[in-house]
């Protein structure tokens, strides 16, 4: 099964292909999505209409309204496809269902869902009149246009008056549809997270002033550990690894994002005697307590608790307090966590079962701990759990700090 990131990437690139008029590329990208959501099926139907294939468009719109029976704009476009196929009774039924989905509202604005289109009640009534004119139901068509005039804005009045004059002369009308080239696009916030981001950068030692002891031997320096708990290569090895033509350094965005660093109390005291300068800032110990290094944008976690979970450090004060404790005999373990190059904002714990309704959903069981990656809106979060990424209802979870 394709990941949410793959779905969003194909969806985004397909929408871009529609914008530049490349119908074949758009259909290839949209069709590559297995189990597409209703909005992607809707996009496929719109592209088939643009390419002059109403039969294929009808099949795609059938899939869209089957997956989302409340997608009023899907019924509108299916009615247009039926109209082009001269299936006028089916088209009239689709436009009637579109009007029913408006629930006596004058319009439905789809902008927030990624479609730059506002479905107007008067346009649906106009389409009903267009079908009735094709069926020779001139009185019914005039009545539908009268309702459209009463519901339409002042700016549409002239066009509706002209249409009414055509019906009175028994001239058939053509239906209105979603503007050419407009399709559902994924949320911009989700698209921005498709590519991995290097939040930590590539650390580089510019100067290290550690005086030697009476025997001329410099004290040991603290070393960063990799994800296997092994010391990273020293400066000479790093210089070889970063020579032209060599692979990226361990801080490359393509390496695993979970990194771990351990600093013992003895090493902390040795650092009181010197200064370590990096391109990210300056750490200059000089007192009984250690000053914290610059905090990375990703979430910090302290060493595991008794049940094996890493304890999150929320806020600058908690991080400073943990760093001061490094002077004790137990040392300090810190971990900077992220998922797919994205930082973990915080953690929540599922309180109820949530079954995934769509491919982009994240299924939950009570007790699951979820890394929150994005706040989609006030009611939905995007998170990571057990190797899966998706969205889930915020109301089904509580902050991890509330765990019983």
């Amino acid at each position: 099964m394709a990941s949410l990131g793959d779905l969003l990437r194909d969806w985004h690139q397909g929408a871009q292909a529609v914008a530049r008029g490349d119908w074949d590329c758009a259909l290839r990208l949209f069709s590559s999505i297995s189990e597409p959501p209703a909005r992607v099926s809707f996009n496929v139907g719109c592209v088939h209409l643009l390419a002059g294939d109403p039969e294929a468009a009808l099949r795609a719109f059938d899939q869209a309204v089957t997956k989302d029976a409340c997608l009023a704009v899907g019924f509108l476009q299916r009615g247009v496809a039926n109209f082009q196929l001269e299936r006028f009774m089916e088209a009239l039924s689709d436009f009637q269902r579109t009007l029913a989905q408006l629930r006596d509202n004058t319009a439905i604005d789809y902008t927030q869902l990624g479609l730059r289109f506002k479905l107007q009640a008067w346009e649906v009534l106009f389409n009903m009149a267009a079908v009735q004119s094709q069926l020779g139901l001139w009185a019914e068509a005039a009545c539908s246009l009268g309702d459209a005039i009463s519901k339409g804005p002042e700016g549409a009045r002239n066009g509706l008056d002209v249409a009414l004059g055509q019906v009175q002369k028994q001239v058939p009308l053509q239906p209105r549809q979603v503007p050419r080239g407009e399709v559902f696009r994924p949320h911009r916030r989700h698209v921005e997270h498709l590519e991995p981001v290097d939040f930590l950068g590539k650390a580089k030692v510019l100067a290290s002033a550690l005086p030697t002891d009476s025997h001329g031997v410099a004290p040991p320096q603290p070393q960063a550990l990799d994800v296997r708990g092994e010391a990273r290569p020293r400066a000479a090895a790093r210089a070889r690894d970063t020579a032209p033509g060599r692979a990226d350094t361990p801080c490359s965005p393509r390496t695993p994002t979970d990194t771990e660093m351990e600093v013992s109390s003895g090493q902390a005291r040795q650092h009181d005697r010197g200064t370590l300068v990096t391109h990210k800032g300056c750490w200059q110990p000089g007192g009984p307590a250690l000053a914290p290094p610059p905090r990375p944008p990703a979430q910090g976690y302290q060493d595991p608790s008794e049940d094996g979970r890493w304890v999150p450090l929320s806020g600058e004060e908690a991080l400073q307090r943990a760093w001061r404790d490094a002077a004790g005999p137990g040392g300090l373990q810190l971990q900077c966590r992220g998922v797919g190059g994205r930082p973990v904002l915080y953690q929540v714990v599922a309180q109820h079962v949530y079954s995934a309704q769509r491919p982009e959903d994240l299924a939950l069981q009570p007790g699951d701990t979820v890394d929150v990656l994005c706040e989609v809106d006030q009611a939905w979060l995007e998170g990571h759990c057990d190797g899966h990424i998706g969205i889930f209802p915020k109301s089904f979870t509580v902050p991890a700090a509330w765990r019983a």
Side-chain angles (χ1 to χ4, degrees):
M1 180 177 177
S3 67
L4 176 60
D6 293 334
L7 184 152
L8 290 172
R9 185 174 291 103
D10 290 340
W11 184 357
H12 175 59
Q13 293 177 353
Q16 290 180 321
V18 173
R20 63 176 182 267
D22 191 345
W23 315 137
D24 291 337
C25 179
L27 288 174
R28 184 171 62 254
L29 288 165
F30 289 146
S31 300
S32 67
I33 300 174
S34 60
E35 300 182 8
R39 286 178 286 176
V40 173
S41 296
F42 173 90
N43 289 359
V44 173
C46 288
V47 176
H48 280 305
L49 281 181
L50 292 169
D53 190 351
E55 192 70 48
L58 184 62
R59 292 193 296 269
F61 291 131
D62 279 339
Q63 293 178 355
V65 297
T66 299
K67 294 175 181 177
D68 187 352
C70 297
L71 190 64
V73 71
F75 288 109
L76 176 80
Q77 292 295 91
R78 191 174 74 171
V80 173
N82 275 318
F83 187 96
Q84 293 184 7
L85 292 168
E86 299 185 354
R87 300 173 59 180
F88 297 122
M89 293 304 298
E90 290 83 352
L92 182 59
S93 175
D94 281 332
F95 294 143
Q96 289 171 340
R97 295 186 67 174
T98 304
L99 193 62
Q101 291 297 329
L102 281 161
R103 305 180 189 280
D104 295 328
N105 294 308
T106 58
I108 297 177
D109 191 351
Y110 284 96
T111 305
Q112 295 297 321
L113 293 178
L115 177 66
R116 292 177 293 192
F117 175 68
K118 182 179 289 188
L119 176 61
Q120 305 276 359
W122 70 266
E123 291 184 299
V124 181
L125 289 166
F126 179 94
N127 284 9
M128 291 173 59
V131 177
Q132 290 161 345
S133 70
Q134 294 289 340
L135 294 171
L137 304 174
W138 302 108
E140 289 84 348
C143 182
S144 296
L145 285 174
D147 290 342
I149 292 173
S150 66
K151 293 179 180 294
E154 192 66 30
R157 184 66 56 83
N158 291 337
L160 290 172
D161 287 338
V162 171
L164 182 58
Q166 288 180 293
V167 168
Q168 290 171 347
K169 297 177 183 178
Q170 297 190 357
V171 177
L173 303 176
Q174 294 296 316
R176 304 174 66 89
Q177 58 180 301
V178 173
R180 179 183 179 87
E182 290 298 335
V183 293
F184 280 105
R185 292 170 170 80
H187 198 289
R188 183 175 60 182
R189 184 186 304 171
H190 294 161
V191 174
E192 291 172 349
H193 290 307
L194 287 178
E195 298 301 328
V197 179
D198 183 8
F199 290 99
L200 299 180
K202 299 179 181 181
K204 179 180 179 181
V205 177
L206 301 180
S208 180
L210 295 175
T212 59
D213 57 18
S214 58
H215 299 285
V217 178
Q221 303 180 29
Q223 292 181 318
L225 305 180
D226 62 15
V227 294
R228 298 182 300 274
E230 301 173 356
R232 293 179 181 173
R234 293 186 177 274
R238 286 199 301 272
R240 292 193 301 271
D241 290 342
T242 56
R246 297 302 297 264
D248 292 339
T249 65
C251 290
S252 167
R254 296 186 179 275
T255 60
T257 57
D258 285 7
T259 58
E260 182 177 324
M261 178 178 66
E262 182 174 355
V263 181
S264 69
S265 58
Q267 291 169 337
R269 285 192 295 271
Q270 290 161 358
H271 261 278
D272 287 351
R273 300 164 56 188
T275 301
L276 181 65
V277 184
T278 72
H279 81 296
K280 288 295 183 181
C282 186
W283 175 26
Q284 187 172 3
L290 296 177
R295 183 180 179 183
Q299 175 71 52
Y301 287 79
Q302 201 173 350
D303 52 347
S305 58
E306 293 180 359
D307 58 0
R309 300 192 317 274
W310 284 80
V311 180
L313 297 173
S314 57
E316 190 69 24
E317 182 179 350
L319 184 60
Q320 291 180 355
R321 182 169 57 254
W323 198 262
R324 287 195 298 267
D325 293 342
L332 173 67
Q333 283 186 319
L334 293 177
Q335 188 180 74
C336 181
R337 297 181 59 183
V339 177
R342 300 169 57 184
V344 176
L345 304 180
Y346 52 87
Q347 288 183 314
V348 296
V349 178
Q351 297 293 292
H352 309 283
V353 174
Y354 176 66
S355 300
Q357 304 296 317
R358 299 181 180 179
E360 62 266 27
D361 287 0
L362 178 65
L364 299 177
Q365 294 292 329
D368 285 350
T369 299
V370 186
D371 297 322
V372 177
L373 306 177
C374 172
E375 294 180 343
V376 180
D377 54 30
Q378 293 182 348
W380 289 83
L381 301 174
E382 183 182 13
H384 164 263
C385 181
D386 293 334
H388 300 283
I389 296 178
I391 63 174
F392 58 93
K394 183 177 181 180
S395 60
F396 280 53
T397 64
V398 297
W402 296 3
R403 182 192 295 266

